[in-house]
Amino acid sequence: MSKKVLIVGSGLAGLAAALRLSRRGYEVELVEKNSKAGGRLNQLKKDGFTFDVGPSFFSMSYEFDEFVQDAGIKMPFNFVELDPLYTVNFLATGKTYTMYKDLSKLAEEFKDVEPNLEEKIRKYLSTGQKIFDGTVDLVVRRNYNSLMHYFVTLMQAPPTLMPVLFRSFWQQVSKYFDSEEVRQILSLVAFFVGRTPFDTPAVYSLLSYTEFVHNGYFNVEGGMYNIVEGLCNELKKQNITVHYNTEITGFTEKNGKLASLTDAKGKIWKADIFLINADAAWFRGKILNRPEFSEEKLDKLKWTMGTLTFYLGVSEKIPNVHHHNYYLGNNFKEYANKIFTNPDSFEKPYYYVNVLSRSNPGCAPEGCESLFFVCPVPDLRFKTNWDDRDEIVDSIIADFSRRVGMDVQQKIVTKTIYTPEEWRDQFNLHKGSALGLAHDMNQIGGFRPKNFDEKYKNVFYAGASTVPGTGLPMVIISSKLAVERIEKYG
């Protein structure tokens, strides 16, 4: 008789784990707090417009290739490589730089501010490749049974990488490039892991290698939510049920194991094994009542940025935009050093605009545009009141209008705003931290909340706040690591 696994949460890691486990003969069932699957990888449809709610691209496509092979399914969505990768506009000069994967074309973009860019960036990316080759298979794709196991593993990394562990991302790019423009643009990738270039370890400069050389970025045809819909269709084929509108609020234990979970309506959910795809730190504190994961203890940890996201459907095509666009202001360092803790630091040197309809015309009515804005903001530890959200959003729209040469405000058909409050309430994210725990050196690898429970041997975790970390390919890896744990358990 096959063992039953109950998965709590239907984010990407939960969906992927369900299919991996089903292939291995486990009986799988999922419960989901919200009315549809996906977690932060979600979709908003409103007034004829379609928006990606969270992630708007992905990298390391080979992790998806490995996953579908492991799960015994065909790739359930179509994706295309992006080139150019994105554009970056600077407020002070009005200059927009287009980031090409072709390094000679990229060098031409920056010839006036960074002479010999091609030579410099090849050296920078070569170092990024060494970091990637020396750490990803060794550190990222592995489980750790203890801190000692983690330290022993780290000792196997090439000694030449040791200096990188003690630099920030900003210090790393500054070793190779002279212009503020290039330093700022290349360090934007640090925001993808939820912090700033000044407090993100230089080891993450390997992400520059992944975006320009190793694999690039990919857009999903029809929008990112097609990943979720494709996986949900595979679940249906295998008769795996997702129970929606089911929020877990309590538990029972027996003989040193988790015996059952209880939902908000009082229904009891039993299984042999439990896989938690809710935030690993939040669930331990809020549901399992672990003192070491209390709200006060969690507040003292380092979390990724809060995000202010808003979704605009506009009645005309927007000039001067691509699929992915970044807008920088005049005080990059000052802003980056204050934005996560200072609720009054809202001069906007950084925000991102995804024009989903640029690559996917069906996501907006004909002649219209679907826009998704992301601005890093303090989480709810530092900015507790969001009554000024409309004022902040209007200021960003005004700035964007000036940069693209069109009064966007007058063209808005529909508008939806998510502050850290919405991110917290909808997805159970601690204080609205959009990407979970930060990736400081003392919060990665063996220092991150484990993907196996400290008390119950039949409880495991998958998702952004456990190993290996945040990002779509990382949570796909997370599903694999959790399944490896479950298989060893029995």
Side-chain angles (χ1 to χ4, degrees), residues 83 98 100-110 118:
D83 192 14
T98 301
Y100 297 101
K101 290 188 69 177
D102 183 325
L103 298 183
S104 61
K105 290 177 67 175
L106 187 66
E108 185 67 19
E109 282 284 296
F110 291 93
E118 183 172 357

Side-chain angles (χ1 to χ4, degrees), residues 405-473:
M406 172 181 166
D407 189 351
V408 176
Q409 188 75 257
Q410 300 302 314
K411 308 295 182 182
I412 295 175
V413 176
T414 185
K415 177 168 67 175
T416 302
I417 302 172
Y418 286 8
T419 71
E421 291 176 334
E422 282 74 26
W423 286 102
R424 175 198 62 193
D425 295 342
Q426 187 167 344
F427 302 112
N428 290 337
L429 302 174
H430 183 71
K431 299 301 171 71
S433 171
L435 300 177
L437 284 168
H439 296 79
D440 290 50
M441 293 306 296
N442 61 349
Q443 289 189 175
I444 61 174
F447 292 102
R448 212 161 177 79
K450 298 176 178 62
N451 61 357
F452 61 96
D453 195 68
E454 297 82 357
K455 183 177 180 181
Y456 304 127
K457 294 181 179 180
N458 63 333
V459 176
F460 304 89
Y461 299 87
S465 280
T466 184
V467 291
T470 193
L472 298 189

